[in-house]
Amino acid sequence: MQSFPMLINGELVQGNRTLNVINPATEEVFQQITCADESQFEQAIAAAKGAFAQWQTVDMQTRRDSLNKLADALEAQTGVFAELLTQEQGKPLAESTAEVGFSCAFIRYFAQSELPIETYQDDETSKIELHRKPLGVVAGVVPWNFPLMIGCFKLAPAVLSGNTFILKPPATTPLCVLKLADICQQIFPKGVVNIITDNNDLGHILSAHPDVAKVAFTGSTPTGKKIMSAASGTLKRLTLELGGNDAGIVLPDVDPKKIAPAIFATAFMNCGQVCIALKRLYVHEDIYDDLVHELSELANSAVVGNGLHDGVTFGPIQNKAQFVKVQEYLADAKDNGVIAAGGEVLDGPGFFMRPTIVRDVTDGCKVVDEEPFGPILPVIKYKTIDDAVERANNSVFGLGGSVWSNDLDKAYEVAKRLECGTSWINQHLNFGPTVPFGGAKESGIGVEFAQEGLLEYTQVHVINIAKQTF
């Protein structure tokens, strides 16, 4: 077993408690690490607060250089991070390698970003400028499905804009983020970046602490509501990227054989454990049977197993609690629909379930109305576009949605009617650092990525100058 220390005030330190990390493909403890107690959370907050006074004055180029060094060092260890990520998270090695690459891309994008002064008025009487100032101590709290990438795309804009940062990974997938601490310790001044982990029991300290100016959280809607409630006492700034139950609407003019691979890939990436994965598919009755058949063929051809093994295309569900929850959705699917493919929990160790296509199911049951966050796709038949749009929008969630058609003008008109943060056309789950990303309704507050996401880590400061003299 390796040592995975935390980073507090520039020092790599062990926690005062122990934590077992389980490989979801084997159900075995493959690392035992330490995690923080309340006193160490307080130490990390104090370190970040102490470092803020100096870091906010550091010039932008120095901050950019630090981020580029971080990306270079992470990229140089791509293989090490990818293998570790597969062991702790479960995804196939190719997907883990891609996550490391995306992490570097996000860091490099923000490393070249700007926070220019905007001039609103400059005439003979007045000059009015809008400046962007850092907030202070920012806490990034990340989930277990993409711990490294999500950690990096919170860290980069936070420190670039002059904040100091505390990163808390989830208890079930802490290792890659803790390994990142080794790199950060060599690059950033003491206290600028702190990385601590817990047993999913101390996040409330960050949410309620008066010395934490902002929490950037990615995770479930119930947890997001708890963070929002805890943060209300200090009116903390929040960015909350929460759950989704993304709907896709397939118009009758498409070729099911041609479109099925793209739909399947975006519904089942990372074993369906993606907040913006396609989770409900509304298909016109004219092509319903054909598209269900094509999706089922793809599901039946999936290779499920340990993500470190060659040829595996589907890893396990990440943890036992989620595995149990997904099985409940599977039972609901069997009660309320017909399993067209999959529907099997594999024998032996590991949290494995075959990718599952559910047909002859409709709104009003759990597997459609809620977010399984696992390898299950319900396919719902519709007759009219108006009906499909109404049903797609009839959800408390509003993260993403998509429309699939050979008529781009018609698809565009439908996409505009979807109540979500992102509407895709002839694709789903397409994202990147240059495109703003946020949710509607109970899928979140605020924006991540792009310039809009960077501004979320700043405070508006207007300087209003009267040019008169006395």
Side-chain angles (χ1 to χ4, degrees):
M1 292 191 178
Q2 304 175 49
S3 175
F4 290 89
M6 301 180 296
L7 177 61
I8 299 177
N9 200 29
E11 301 294 331
L12 296 174
V13 300
Q14 297 298 322
N16 294 328
R17 302 184 293 164
T18 59
L19 179 67
N20 290 331
V21 182
I22 295 172
N23 184 331
T26 65
E27 297 186 55
E28 295 176 349
V29 175
F30 81 105
Q31 294 290 340
Q32 185 177 70
I33 64 172
T34 61
C35 66
D37 60 11
E38 292 188 23
S39 67
Q40 289 175 307
F41 266 68
E42 292 287 349
Q43 291 168 22
I45 295 169
K49 181 181 179 182
F52 175 65
Q54 177 62 31
W55 184 249
Q56 69 174 323
T57 68
V58 170
D59 63 276
M60 286 287 283
Q61 190 55 53
T62 299
R63 298 180 206 161
R64 291 193 189 96
D65 291 344
S66 297
L67 289 175
N68 281 320
K69 289 176 183 177
L70 175 62
D72 290 345
L74 176 57
E75 185 176 57
Q77 298 185 60
T78 294
V80 174
F81 273 87
E83 183 172 341
L84 187 62
L85 183 56
T86 292
Q87 289 176 291
E88 65 173 337
Q89 203 282 331
K91 63 187 66 175
L93 190 58
E95 292 186 21
S96 294
T97 302
E99 180 169 341
V100 179
F102 269 112
S103 301
C104 296
F106 274 101
I107 295 169
R108 290 191 173 114
Y109 168 79
F110 285 110
Q112 55 81 45
S113 297
E114 302 276 355
L115 285 171
I117 298 171
E118 299 177 51
T119 301
Y120 279 75
Q121 181 178 339
D122 189 5
D123 54 28
E124 65 280 1
T125 64
S126 299
K127 184 174 184 180
I128 302 175
E129 296 177 337
L130 186 149
H131 295 242
R132 291 283 179 171
K133 299 178 70 173
L135 297 166
V137 178
V138 173
V141 182
V142 302
W144 46 256
N145 56 342
F146 293 93
L148 182 63
M149 182 181 72
I150 294 176
C152 287
F153 71 55
K154 296 184 189 301
L155 182 156
V159 300
L160 179 81
S161 50
N163 301 287
T164 52
F165 193 64
I166 300 169
L167 179 57
K168 188 184 87 69
T172 58
T173 58
L175 302 181
C176 276
V177 174
L178 289 172
K179 188 167 183 59
L180 196 68
D182 290 334
I183 300 174
C184 291
Q185 192 226 14
Q186 301 172 45
I187 294 172
F188 295 101
K190 289 183 176 182
V192 172
V193 174
N194 304 270
I195 299 178
I196 54 175
T197 192
D198 62 357
N199 195 16
N200 285 343
D201 56 349
L202 297 179
H204 63 277
I205 297 175
L206 300 175
S207 302
H209 204 287
D211 291 335
V212 175
K214 175 184 173 71
V215 174
F217 169 75
T218 299
S220 72
T221 295
T223 302
K225 291 178 179 180
K226 291 178 181 178
I227 289 172
M228 192 173 188
S229 177
S232 66
T234 56
L235 290 180
K236 248 184 222 24
R237 304 303 187 259
L238 296 173
T239 300
L240 303 176
E241 193 270 282
L242 307 177
N245 194 17
D246 290 15
I249 299 176
V250 184
L251 275 59
D253 59 9
V254 303
D255 182 337
K257 184 176 287 291
K258 291 181 179 179
I259 203 171
I263 289 176
F264 186 84
T266 55
F268 290 102
M269 178 184 179
N270 195 24
C271 206
Q273 299 168 122
V274 184
C275 57
I276 51 171
L278 198 164
K279 298 191 176 78
R280 297 177 285 153
L281 188 65
Y282 293 89
V283 180
H284 192 272
E285 59 184 2
D286 290 352
I287 58 169
Y288 182 85
D289 289 337
D290 289 340
L291 186 51
V292 168
H293 171 75
E294 296 297 333
L295 292 170
S296 298
E297 289 290 300
L298 293 168
N300 289 331
S301 66
V303 180
V304 180
N306 190 319
L308 292 178
H309 296 168
D310 292 340
V312 167
T313 57
F314 273 80
I317 294 168
Q318 198 285 313
N319 59 77
K320 185 174 183 178
Q322 185 63 22
F323 188 48
V324 170
K325 185 181 295 185
V326 175
Q327 290 180 72
E328 294 172 356
Y329 285 104
L330 179 60
D332 180 79
K334 291 177 178 178
D335 288 342
N336 293 285
V338 175
I339 303 300
E344 304 155 7
V345 175
L346 302 191
D347 292 332
F351 307 130
F352 293 107
M353 178 185 293
R354 290 202 61 80
T356 298
I357 304 296
V358 187
R359 64 166 296 154
D360 302 329
V361 66
T362 191
D363 307 77
C365 57
K366 284 180 59 175
V367 75
V368 176
D369 294 354
E370 300 178 14
E371 180 187 27
F373 214 70
I376 304 176
L377 178 64
V379 186
I380 305 108
K381 186 185 297 184
Y382 76 88
K383 289 186 178 183
T384 69
I385 290 295
D386 287 345
D387 178 48
V389 171
E390 182 180 357
R391 292 155 80 181
N393 288 337
N394 185 27
S395 174
V396 298
F397 297 112
L399 199 54
S402 56
V403 183
W404 305 76
S405 174
N406 285 321
D407 186 333
L408 295 183
D409 291 335
K410 182 180 292 186
Y412 180 73
E413 291 305 315
V414 176
K416 289 193 297 182
R417 297 171 63 187
L418 295 180
E419 298 170 354
C420 53
T422 300
S423 291
W424 289 280
I425 295 175
N426 291 341
Q427 59 183 352
H428 200 112
L429 222 171
N430 182 281
F431 69 95
T434 62
V435 182
F437 172 61
K441 306 185 203 178
E442 292 191 14
S443 285
I445 292 175
V447 179
E448 301 205 83
F449 314 165
Q451 187 70 9
E452 287 83 354
L454 175 61
L455 297 182
E456 294 260 337
Y457 291 86
T458 66
Q459 169 66 48
V460 168
H461 182 204
V462 174
I463 299 181
N464 194 327
I465 306 166
K467 293 184 178 180
Q468 67 189 40
T469 58
F470 297 96

